[in-house]
Amino acid sequence: ENKQTINFGAGPAKLPQSVLLQAQKELTNYNGIGISVLEMSHRSADFTKIINTTENLLRELLKIPDNYKVLFLQGGGSGQFSAVPLNLIGLKEEKRADYIVTGTWSAKAAKEAEKYGKVNVVHPKLDSYTKIPESGGWAVDSSASYLYYCCNETVHGVEFNFTPDPKGPVLVSDMSSNFLSRPVDVSKFGLIFAGAQKNVGCAGVTVVIVREDLLGAALKECPIVLDYQVQAGNSSLYNTPPCFSIYIMSLVLEWIKNNGGTEAMERLNIQKSSLIYDIISASNGFYTCPVDPDCRSRMNVPFRVGSSQGDDALEKKFLDGAAKLGMISLKGHRSVGGVRASLYNAVTVEDAQALANYMSRFLKEHQ
Ligand code: PMP
């Protein structure tokens, strides 16, 4: 057993130990029925119970209003980059959509949407993904079908700490990397989606929370498995869903509930991320985070070591030293380099403290 390893990966990411142990315990014989969830029909009474429990836990944790559907789909967050325009851009005849582009993931989503309609980026193009453009200056098109944004940009570490005002069109958000890390007022949104593999489980399932009255506007070329109305009409069982991923999600949601829900997660996430940002701020430029302080992510903390451009040799030494202590997956995304510490719900305060301690020691030794 490898108890010492601390996984700071950006996703797939750390899961609560208790979830892994329960899944292990139940792997070959779920709930005494003699077979594994991996072997179970998605139409069996046992699986029906699992998927219903998962939905009910999500509804409870996020206080999802009754006029919203909860879907469990495949295709990942990227599948939703296509599904969102395919289902929603036709809400208005003009087929226009507004996008806020604050990082890699919203940029990809906007590019995909261009296949299906007219995309308007509501602010001047950013030359670096380190801030959220002043919302007063957004050229929001009131005749757009929706306004889209990514609530937490996983690569760049840019997180919205406010909910954009779409001024008419419905609001759509990619919450893949900060889902259930803080409370959210679902009623402000037309649609929220999130891949599970960061905060709520393993890869394979993507949650879509969509307001009922938005269903039924899919373009005729929308693949049937991505059609929200079809999936909602079949309780996400139009075809075989990612059964095991949904089961793992149910265990993670139970864990979040038992640990105080989204409010408690938020408190812990503030505490964990502050531990790291405080060291960066007090390091006199030895560590630098390029992101504006008012939109620094609680989930993904990107930083450079040695100088604001990053000192390659020192960063390598930092990562090697961390790995020797069991702290893994700290390398920044290949598009930005440097270091990135991802601090999702399952990462504990002790884990973050271990990293903070290492950063302090490394600073003293190399300053
Ligand atoms: N959105 C965000 C915010 C992400 O972080 C990611 C993946 N890291 C995606 C979308 C794409 O998700 P997937 O790999 O499941 O398609």
Side-chain angles (χ1 to χ4, degrees):
E1 207 190 336
N2 205 353
K3 272 211 210 85
Q4 303 292 355
T5 305
I6 308 177
N7 181 2
F8 290 104
K14 182 174 176 180
L15 286 167
Q17 185 73 3
S18 63
V19 165
L20 294 176
L21 290 172
Q22 186 168 350
Q24 179 186 47
K25 191 172 110 211
E26 295 179 336
L27 184 66
T28 57
N29 185 356
Y30 175 76
N31 206 17
I33 64 172
I35 63 167
S36 173
V37 177
L38 290 163
E39 304 169 298
M40 198 181 269
S41 163
H42 57 293
R43 309 214 181 265
S44 65
D46 291 295
F47 185 74
T48 304
K49 216 167 140 192
I50 291 173
I51 195 168
N52 289 344
T53 300
T54 315
E55 175 171 344
N56 291 336
L57 282 165
L58 267 175
R59 287 189 176 277
E60 186 183 336
L61 288 166
L62 283 173
K63 303 184 180 72
I64 300 175
D66 288 344
N67 61 327
Y68 285 74
K69 295 287 188 190
V70 176
L71 309 177
F72 301 99
L73 305 182
Q74 304 195 56
S78 305
Q80 292 308 307
F81 297 168
S82 322
V84 164
L86 280 162
N87 281 277
L88 302 184
I89 210 162
L91 280 169
K92 293 189 185 148
E93 222 175 300
E94 295 84 355
K95 291 197 192 129
R96 290 207 295 254
D98 280 348
Y99 277 72
I100 302 169
V101 177
T102 51
T104 300
W105 297 110
S106 45
K108 285 191 172 174
K111 183 149 185 271
E112 182 65 14
E114 280 171 6
K115 292 181 183 168
Y116 306 110
K118 178 90 185 63
V119 167
N120 166 45
V121 177
V122 303
H123 53 83
K125 197 173 183 312
L126 299 171
D127 28 272
S128 71
Y129 291 133
T130 54
K131 58 173 183 273
I132 292 170
E134 201 39 63
S135 63
W138 293 349
V140 177
D141 173 2
S142 61
S143 68
S145 294
Y146 60 86
L147 170 67
Y148 179 105
Y149 77 108
C150 177
C151 199
N152 183 67
E153 284 285 356
T154 321
V155 171
H156 295 90
V158 173
E159 183 171 16
F160 278 73
N161 63 10
F162 66 98
T163 305
D165 177 3
K167 304 214 165 83
V170 292
L171 189 59
V172 172
S173 186
D174 174 1
M175 296 194 184
S176 292
S177 53
N178 65 354
F179 196 52
L180 293 190
S181 70
R182 60 204 294 168
V184 170
D185 180 355
V186 174
S187 70
K188 288 185 175 167
F189 295 83
L191 184 144
I192 291 168
F193 71 85
Q197 67 268 28
K198 295 153 199 306
N199 264 321
V200 288
C202 63
V205 61
T206 304
V207 176
V208 174
I209 301 168
V210 57
R211 219 174 64 203
E212 257 165 17
D213 62 294
L214 304 177
L215 301 178
L219 304 182
K220 66 176 186 326
E221 60 267 41
C222 179
I224 196 157
V225 293
L226 292 181
D227 187 318
Y228 300 144
Q229 188 177 42
V230 171
Q231 289 288 7
N234 289 278
S235 307
S236 304
L237 300 174
Y238 170 76
N239 65 325
T240 316
C243 302
F244 197 75
S245 302
I246 292 169
Y247 157 71
I248 294 291
M249 190 188 292
S250 75
L251 300 182
V252 175
L253 297 177
E254 194 79 57
W255 175 87
I256 293 175
K257 182 179 165 181
N258 292 338
N259 283 279
T262 54
E263 286 85 4
M265 293 299 126
E266 178 173 49
R267 269 198 308 280
L268 293 169
N269 289 325
I270 291 171
Q271 199 184 340
K272 291 181 292 177
S273 54
S274 300
L275 283 169
I276 309 303
Y277 285 121
D278 287 351
I279 303 246
I280 293 172
S281 303
S283 73
N284 275 324
F286 181 78
Y287 297 117
T288 50
C289 172
V291 181
D292 269 9
D294 63 357
C295 56
R296 288 185 173 176
S297 170
R298 295 170 184 168
M299 298 282 99
N300 313 96
V301 182
F303 60 93
R304 306 301 310 224
V305 184
S307 80
S308 62
Q309 302 306 309
D311 173 328
D312 286 347
L314 214 47
E315 285 178 345
K316 184 171 184 312
K317 199 164 178 196
F318 179 91
L319 294 170
D320 290 347
K324 282 210 186 85
L325 296 169
M327 293 186 269
I328 65 160
S329 302
L330 280 164
K331 202 170 166 31
H333 190 270
R334 59 189 187 280
S335 64
V336 295
V339 181
R340 171 176 53 172
S342 296
L343 307 169
Y344 300 124
N345 288 344
V347 173
T348 63
V349 174
E350 293 72 36
D351 294 341
Q353 187 66 62
L355 176 60
N357 293 347
Y358 170 65
M359 288 173 72
S360 296
R361 280 202 308 280
F362 192 85
L363 167 68
K364 283 202 193 91
E365 285 160 22
H366 298 91
Q367 204 171 21

